[in-house]
Amino acid sequence: MILDERKLQNLPVGLASPAASRELRREGTVFLVGGELPPQQSLETLFESHCISPAELFHLRFGPPDTFPRGEELARLIKKNFTAHLVGRVDYPLTPPLVERAYAAGIDIIDIPFVGVGGEEGERQERLASLEYAREIFPRWSVASTLTVGDGPADEAIAVIDDLLARRIVPLPEVSPRVTGDKGNAVSTILLHFVAAWRRHKVAIAPLQPFIVLTTPLVMARAEGILRGFIDRLRDRQLVAAADLRRTLRVRQVEESFESAGL
Protein backbone atom coordinates (compact mmCIF):
# COMPACT_ATOMS: atom_id res chain seq x y z
CA MET A 1 0.00 0.00 0.00
CA ILE A 2 1.08 3.61 -0.57
CA LEU A 3 0.10 7.05 0.72
CA ASP A 4 -2.38 9.15 -1.21
CA GLU A 5 -0.95 12.67 -0.79
CA ARG A 6 -4.24 14.34 -1.65
CA LYS A 7 -6.11 12.43 1.06
CA LEU A 8 -3.26 13.17 3.47
CA GLN A 9 -3.42 16.93 2.89
CA ASN A 10 -7.21 17.06 3.28
CA LEU A 11 -7.41 15.20 6.60
CA PRO A 12 -9.82 14.32 8.07
CA VAL A 13 -12.06 14.93 5.02
CA GLY A 14 -12.78 11.85 2.94
CA LEU A 15 -12.13 9.24 5.61
CA ALA A 16 -14.81 6.83 6.75
CA SER A 17 -15.21 5.62 10.31
CA PRO A 18 -16.45 2.29 11.71
CA ALA A 19 -20.19 2.03 12.18
CA ALA A 20 -21.73 2.99 15.48
CA SER A 21 -23.28 0.04 17.30
CA ARG A 22 -26.78 0.92 15.98
CA GLU A 23 -25.74 1.96 12.47
CA LEU A 24 -25.70 0.15 9.13
CA ARG A 25 -24.13 1.65 6.05
CA ARG A 26 -22.14 0.73 2.99
CA GLU A 27 -18.91 2.40 1.91
CA GLY A 28 -17.81 1.14 -1.49
CA THR A 29 -17.32 -2.60 -1.21
CA VAL A 30 -17.40 -2.64 2.60
CA PHE A 31 -20.48 -3.12 4.78
CA LEU A 32 -20.19 -1.37 8.15
CA VAL A 33 -22.56 -3.06 10.58
CA GLY A 34 -23.44 -2.08 14.14
CA GLY A 35 -23.68 -4.97 16.58
CA GLU A 36 -26.83 -3.73 18.32
CA LEU A 37 -28.96 -3.80 15.18
CA PRO A 38 -31.92 -6.23 14.86
CA PRO A 39 -30.37 -9.24 13.10
CA GLN A 40 -33.14 -10.27 10.68
CA GLN A 41 -33.96 -6.76 9.46
CA SER A 42 -30.27 -6.01 9.01
CA LEU A 43 -29.77 -9.21 7.04
CA GLU A 44 -32.53 -8.24 4.60
CA THR A 45 -30.93 -4.84 3.99
CA LEU A 46 -27.49 -6.38 3.54
CA PHE A 47 -28.82 -8.99 1.14
CA GLU A 48 -30.60 -6.42 -1.05
CA SER A 49 -27.47 -4.30 -1.38
CA HIS A 50 -25.18 -7.31 -1.84
CA CYS A 51 -27.32 -8.60 -4.72
CA ILE A 52 -26.87 -5.30 -6.56
CA SER A 53 -23.09 -5.26 -6.01
CA PRO A 54 -21.21 -7.92 -3.98
CA ALA A 55 -19.26 -6.71 -0.96
CA GLU A 56 -15.61 -7.59 -0.32
CA LEU A 57 -15.68 -7.18 3.45
CA PHE A 58 -18.10 -7.01 6.37
CA HIS A 59 -17.00 -4.96 9.38
CA LEU A 60 -19.12 -5.72 12.46
CA ARG A 61 -18.72 -3.43 15.46
CA PHE A 62 -20.02 -5.10 18.60
CA GLY A 63 -22.01 -3.02 21.06
CA PRO A 64 -21.58 -2.93 24.87
CA PRO A 65 -20.91 -6.21 26.71
CA ASP A 66 -24.58 -6.81 27.56
CA THR A 67 -25.43 -6.76 23.82
CA PHE A 68 -22.70 -9.22 22.80
CA PRO A 69 -25.22 -12.01 21.98
CA ARG A 70 -26.94 -9.77 19.41
CA GLY A 71 -23.65 -9.08 17.65
CA GLU A 72 -22.91 -12.78 17.87
CA GLU A 73 -26.19 -13.57 16.09
CA LEU A 74 -25.46 -10.98 13.41
CA ALA A 75 -22.07 -12.57 12.82
CA ARG A 76 -23.65 -16.00 12.36
CA LEU A 77 -26.19 -14.67 9.86
CA ILE A 78 -23.57 -12.77 7.85
CA LYS A 79 -21.23 -15.76 7.71
CA LYS A 80 -24.08 -18.10 6.76
CA ASN A 81 -25.41 -15.94 3.93
CA PHE A 82 -22.36 -14.21 2.41
CA THR A 83 -18.97 -15.30 1.10
CA ALA A 84 -16.67 -12.54 2.31
CA HIS A 85 -14.29 -11.86 5.16
CA LEU A 86 -15.95 -10.78 8.41
CA VAL A 87 -14.10 -8.47 10.79
CA GLY A 88 -15.40 -8.19 14.34
CA ARG A 89 -14.38 -5.10 16.32
CA VAL A 90 -14.87 -5.22 20.09
CA ASP A 91 -14.06 -2.04 22.01
CA TYR A 92 -13.44 -3.71 25.36
CA PRO A 93 -11.48 -6.70 26.72
CA LEU A 94 -12.98 -10.13 26.07
CA THR A 95 -12.90 -13.09 28.39
CA PRO A 96 -11.59 -16.37 26.88
CA PRO A 97 -15.14 -17.81 26.56
CA LEU A 98 -16.28 -14.73 24.61
CA VAL A 99 -13.24 -14.97 22.34
CA GLU A 100 -14.23 -18.58 21.64
CA ARG A 101 -17.82 -17.58 20.97
CA ALA A 102 -16.79 -14.81 18.57
CA TYR A 103 -14.69 -17.27 16.60
CA ALA A 104 -17.42 -19.92 16.56
CA ALA A 105 -19.97 -17.34 15.39
CA GLY A 106 -17.97 -16.73 12.22
CA ILE A 107 -15.63 -13.83 12.92
CA ASP A 108 -12.63 -14.19 10.60
CA ILE A 109 -10.54 -11.34 12.00
CA ILE A 110 -11.05 -9.99 15.51
CA ASP A 111 -10.04 -6.43 16.37
CA ILE A 112 -9.65 -5.28 19.98
CA PRO A 113 -8.37 -1.68 19.76
CA PHE A 114 -5.27 -0.61 21.64
CA VAL A 115 -5.69 1.81 24.55
CA GLY A 116 -3.18 4.64 24.19
CA VAL A 117 -1.20 6.61 26.71
CA GLY A 118 -4.33 8.33 28.03
CA GLY A 119 -5.94 5.02 28.92
CA GLU A 120 -5.68 3.12 32.16
CA GLU A 121 -2.83 0.63 32.46
CA GLY A 122 -5.13 -2.04 33.88
CA GLU A 123 -7.46 -1.95 30.90
CA ARG A 124 -4.54 -1.93 28.49
CA GLN A 125 -3.19 -5.11 30.06
CA GLU A 126 -6.65 -6.72 29.95
CA ARG A 127 -6.93 -5.95 26.25
CA LEU A 128 -3.48 -7.35 25.58
CA ALA A 129 -4.43 -10.49 27.49
CA SER A 130 -7.56 -10.84 25.33
CA LEU A 131 -5.49 -10.37 22.18
CA GLU A 132 -2.93 -12.93 23.33
CA TYR A 133 -5.64 -15.49 23.99
CA ALA A 134 -7.38 -14.74 20.68
CA ARG A 135 -4.09 -15.40 18.92
CA GLU A 136 -4.26 -18.99 20.20
CA ILE A 137 -7.76 -19.44 18.73
CA PHE A 138 -7.75 -17.52 15.46
CA PRO A 139 -5.53 -18.31 12.44
CA ARG A 140 -2.20 -16.55 11.96
CA TRP A 141 -2.53 -12.78 11.40
CA SER A 142 -6.25 -12.87 12.16
CA VAL A 143 -5.99 -11.00 15.47
CA ALA A 144 -5.76 -7.22 15.13
CA SER A 145 -5.62 -4.15 17.31
CA THR A 146 -6.58 -0.70 16.02
CA LEU A 147 -4.21 2.11 16.93
CA THR A 148 -5.36 5.74 16.69
CA VAL A 149 -2.90 7.82 14.68
CA GLY A 150 -2.35 11.52 15.21
CA ASP A 151 -3.25 12.04 18.87
CA GLY A 152 0.23 11.40 20.26
CA PRO A 153 3.93 11.45 19.36
CA ALA A 154 4.97 9.43 16.32
CA ASP A 155 7.71 7.55 18.19
CA GLU A 156 5.18 6.20 20.72
CA ALA A 157 2.89 4.98 17.95
CA ILE A 158 5.82 3.33 16.17
CA ALA A 159 6.83 1.55 19.37
CA VAL A 160 3.29 0.18 19.77
CA ILE A 161 3.23 -1.02 16.15
CA ASP A 162 6.48 -2.91 16.62
CA ASP A 163 5.39 -4.40 19.95
CA LEU A 164 2.09 -5.67 18.55
CA LEU A 165 3.80 -7.26 15.57
CA ALA A 166 6.33 -8.92 17.87
CA ARG A 167 3.31 -10.51 19.57
CA ARG A 168 1.98 -11.61 16.13
CA ILE A 169 -0.94 -9.16 16.42
CA VAL A 170 -1.82 -7.05 13.37
CA PRO A 171 -1.68 -3.30 14.14
CA LEU A 172 -4.39 -1.40 12.27
CA PRO A 173 -4.31 2.37 11.73
CA GLU A 174 -7.22 4.65 12.53
CA VAL A 175 -6.67 8.34 11.88
CA SER A 176 -7.91 10.57 14.70
CA PRO A 177 -10.83 12.81 13.66
CA ARG A 178 -8.96 15.66 15.35
CA VAL A 179 -6.08 15.42 12.88
CA THR A 180 -5.88 18.12 10.21
CA GLY A 181 -3.69 18.54 7.14
CA ASP A 182 -1.04 20.50 9.03
CA LYS A 183 -0.21 17.30 10.97
CA GLY A 184 0.23 15.38 7.76
CA ASN A 185 3.96 14.83 8.19
CA ALA A 186 3.56 13.06 11.53
CA VAL A 187 0.67 10.96 10.23
CA SER A 188 2.67 10.14 7.11
CA THR A 189 5.64 8.93 9.17
CA ILE A 190 3.45 6.60 11.22
CA LEU A 191 1.47 5.22 8.27
CA LEU A 192 4.62 4.54 6.27
CA HIS A 193 5.94 2.63 9.28
CA PHE A 194 2.73 0.58 9.33
CA VAL A 195 3.27 -0.39 5.68
CA ALA A 196 6.95 -1.20 6.12
CA ALA A 197 6.29 -3.20 9.29
CA TRP A 198 3.47 -5.22 7.67
CA ARG A 199 5.80 -6.04 4.79
CA ARG A 200 8.74 -6.90 7.06
CA HIS A 201 6.64 -9.33 9.12
CA LYS A 202 4.84 -10.69 6.02
CA VAL A 203 1.43 -9.86 7.45
CA ALA A 204 -1.52 -11.14 5.44
CA ILE A 205 -3.07 -7.68 5.14
CA ALA A 206 -5.02 -8.29 1.91
CA PRO A 207 -8.42 -9.08 3.55
CA LEU A 208 -8.26 -5.79 5.46
CA GLN A 209 -7.17 -3.56 2.57
CA PRO A 210 -10.69 -2.44 1.54
CA PHE A 211 -11.29 -1.17 5.08
CA ILE A 212 -7.86 0.44 5.40
CA VAL A 213 -8.39 2.34 2.14
CA LEU A 214 -11.66 3.76 3.51
CA THR A 215 -10.36 4.83 6.90
CA THR A 216 -6.81 6.08 6.16
CA PRO A 217 -4.90 7.96 3.43
CA LEU A 218 -3.38 4.61 2.37
CA VAL A 219 -4.40 3.22 -1.02
CA MET A 220 -3.60 0.16 -3.10
CA ALA A 221 -0.12 0.23 -4.61
CA ARG A 222 -1.32 -0.68 -8.11
CA ALA A 223 -4.41 -0.42 -10.20
CA GLU A 224 -6.19 -3.74 -10.69
CA GLY A 225 -6.44 -5.15 -14.18
CA ILE A 226 -9.36 -7.40 -15.07
CA LEU A 227 -7.30 -10.60 -14.86
CA ARG A 228 -5.46 -9.57 -11.68
CA GLY A 229 -8.73 -8.58 -10.05
CA PHE A 230 -10.25 -11.94 -10.92
CA ILE A 231 -7.24 -13.83 -9.55
CA ASP A 232 -7.31 -11.83 -6.33
CA ARG A 233 -11.03 -12.45 -5.83
CA LEU A 234 -10.54 -16.16 -6.46
CA ARG A 235 -7.70 -16.32 -3.95
CA ASP A 236 -9.81 -14.38 -1.46
CA ARG A 237 -12.66 -16.88 -1.79
CA GLN A 238 -10.18 -19.73 -1.23
CA LEU A 239 -8.93 -18.04 1.95
CA VAL A 240 -12.49 -17.60 3.22
CA ALA A 241 -13.32 -21.24 2.47
CA ALA A 242 -10.15 -22.47 4.21
CA ALA A 243 -10.89 -20.31 7.27
CA ASP A 244 -14.47 -21.61 7.43
CA LEU A 245 -13.27 -25.21 7.24
CA ARG A 246 -10.74 -24.62 10.03
CA ARG A 247 -13.48 -23.07 12.18
CA THR A 248 -15.88 -25.96 11.56
CA LEU A 249 -13.26 -28.53 12.53
CA ARG A 250 -12.28 -26.66 15.69
CA VAL A 251 -15.86 -26.12 16.86
CA ARG A 252 -16.64 -29.77 16.19
CA GLN A 253 -13.62 -30.87 18.23
CA VAL A 254 -14.72 -28.69 21.15
CA GLU A 255 -18.28 -30.04 21.00
CA GLU A 256 -17.05 -33.64 20.87
CA SER A 257 -14.77 -32.94 23.82
CA PHE A 258 -17.70 -31.65 25.86
CA GLU A 259 -19.84 -34.64 24.89
CA SER A 260 -17.14 -37.14 25.89
CA ALA A 261 -16.83 -35.36 29.24
CA GLY A 262 -20.59 -35.54 29.76
CA LEU A 263 -20.98 -31.76 29.75
Side-chain angles (χ1 to χ4, degrees):
M1 304 190 78
I2 59 175
L3 272 172
D4 184 324
E5 293 295 335
R6 185 176 60 180
K7 289 175 70 175
L8 185 66
Q9 293 170 4
N10 292 329
L11 291 176
V13 176
L15 299 186
S17 59
S21 61
R22 294 180 180 271
E23 180 184 13
L24 173 62
R25 72 180 193 272
R26 179 170 184 160
E27 299 279 358
T29 60
V30 180
F31 279 120
L32 303 171
V33 186
E36 290 189 79
L37 293 169
Q40 289 296 336
Q41 294 178 18
S42 302
L43 178 64
E44 293 174 4
T45 303
L46 291 170
F47 191 74
E48 290 174 1
S49 180
H50 187 78
C51 286
I52 296 172
S53 178
E56 294 183 20
L57 182 70
F58 289 81
H59 187 280
L60 173 63
R61 187 173 191 173
F62 282 76
D66 61 322
T67 67
F68 185 89
R70 177 167 286 191
E72 191 178 17
E73 184 178 354
L74 269 167
R76 287 198 183 94
L77 289 172
I78 291 171
K79 180 53 64 174
K80 181 179 179 180
N81 290 278
F82 303 99
T83 303
H85 288 286
L86 173 59
V87 178
R89 171 165 167 166
V90 186
D91 292 285
Y92 46 86
L94 287 179
T95 62
L98 288 183
V99 172
E100 296 266 10
R101 284 170 55 178
Y103 181 65
I107 299 298
D108 296 309
I109 301 169
I110 191 165
D111 173 21
I112 302 175
F114 182 83
V115 176
V117 176
E120 295 183 2
E121 179 63 24
E123 183 179 1
R124 181 157 52 246
Q125 292 304 318
E126 288 179 0
R127 293 194 183 208
L128 281 173
S130 296
L131 289 163
E132 295 277 7
Y133 183 76
R135 200 191 62 202
E136 299 178 12
I137 306 303
F138 284 76
R140 182 176 175 83
W141 300 126
S142 295
V143 177
S145 186
T146 293
L147 172 64
T148 302
V149 174
D151 280 342
D155 57 345
E156 291 181 1
I158 288 171
V160 172
I161 293 168
D162 292 341
D163 179 62
L164 290 172
L165 283 167
R167 299 171 185 264
R168 290 183 286 124
I169 297 167
V170 182
L172 285 179
E174 179 179 75
V175 177
S176 170
R178 292 176 290 278
V179 169
T180 54
D182 59 348
K183 294 184 179 179
N185 288 337
V187 172
S188 173
T189 298
I190 299 170
L191 292 178
L192 289 174
H193 188 80
F194 267 103
V195 174
W198 289 333
R199 186 180 300 117
R200 185 170 63 252
H201 287 266
K202 300 181 180 179
V203 177
I205 204 71
L208 290 161
Q209 283 179 338
F211 184 71
I212 295 170
V213 168
L214 285 177
T215 56
T216 75
L218 293 172
V219 296
M220 302 295 291
R222 53 171 174 73
E224 288 190 349
I226 295 176
L227 179 59
R228 172 55 61 182
F230 173 77
I231 293 173
D232 287 348
R233 284 192 295 272
L234 180 60
R235 181 181 60 185
D236 196 57
R237 285 176 178 267
Q238 290 174 335
L239 289 174
V240 171
D244 289 345
L245 177 59
R246 179 187 185 276
R247 177 184 297 105
T248 299
L249 292 174
R250 177 178 175 81
V251 171
R252 184 177 300 165
Q253 288 171 355
V254 171
E255 290 175 346
E256 289 174 351
S257 177
F258 279 139
E259 288 177 2
S260 65
L263 299 176

